[in-house]
Amino acid sequence: MKRQNISSGVIWEDIVGYSRAVRVGNVIEVAGTTATNGDQVIGKGNAYEQTKFIFQKIEKALKEAGATLEDVVRTRMFVTDIRQWEEIGRAHGEVFRTIKPAATMVQVSALINPELLVEIEVTALLAAEHQQTEGFSLR
């Protein structure tokens, strides 16, 4: 099966050796995504705003891989303060209210930058009618 690495263009991808997302066949894995735009943290001190921005970045990576948020089957949310779960959950619900992927939210002791409150990963699965796009086929 063909592998497609999707890059966001940040220097850390080459230094650390990772991709924003990877598609193999009908599976798309989006790496841990934070509320950063270059060196700038978006939504400082606001878990809801950070979560909304993260889902915008994830949606862009999914689109590049031939998917949409509707193809997401799993979300994993890593938060630095579980007491903010309602704000993070509200942003998640605004995106996934009708899609309802399996979801996990756990508290972690820290993220790479102390101003980051949330990091999110997603897994998307393309339905059979979407599997043959951009040179991908499972046949």
Side-chain angles (χ1 to χ4, degrees):
M1 274 189 238
K2 184 177 175 184
R3 175 189 179 110
Q4 177 187 11
N5 291 341
I6 291 108
S7 171
S8 63
V10 299
I11 62 167
W12 300 112
E13 290 174 348
D14 285 336
I15 293 169
V16 176
Y18 76 96
S19 297
R20 167 63 37 227
V22 175
R23 176 178 174 179
V24 177
N26 69 329
V27 178
I28 301 160
E29 293 285 352
V30 180
T33 305
T34 60
T36 55
N37 188 7
D39 291 338
Q40 179 184 9
V41 173
I42 305 300
K44 288 182 185 177
N46 187 320
Y48 172 77
E49 290 299 326
Q50 286 192 17
T51 304
K52 281 180 39 176
F53 185 77
I54 290 166
F55 283 128
Q56 291 170 1
K57 286 177 67 174
I58 287 171
E59 183 175 33
K60 182 180 178 198
L62 288 170
K63 184 177 180 182
E64 204 170 322
T68 69
L69 289 167
E70 291 181 1
D71 297 307
V72 172
V73 296
R74 181 127 183 80
T75 63
R76 292 166 212 84
M77 296 167 276
F78 305 95
V79 305
T80 58
D81 182 356
I82 200 70
R83 294 173 295 187
Q84 296 183 28
W85 74 269
E86 288 181 88
E87 291 303 300
I88 297 162
R90 179 166 60 101
H92 187 279
E94 289 172 2
V95 173
F96 293 111
R97 187 163 321 303
T98 60
I99 302 165
K100 297 195 184 309
T104 301
M105 183 186 299
V106 296
Q107 180 171 308
V108 296
S109 62
L111 295 173
I112 201 157
N113 178 328
E115 293 179 321
L116 295 170
L117 307 174
V118 183
E119 183 167 333
I120 301 172
E121 302 176 341
V122 305
T123 300
L125 223 90
L126 293 173
E129 63 268 18
H130 296 115
Q131 289 180 13
Q132 193 168 349
T133 59
E134 298 183 33
F136 288 93
S137 177
L138 293 181
R139 296 179 193 170

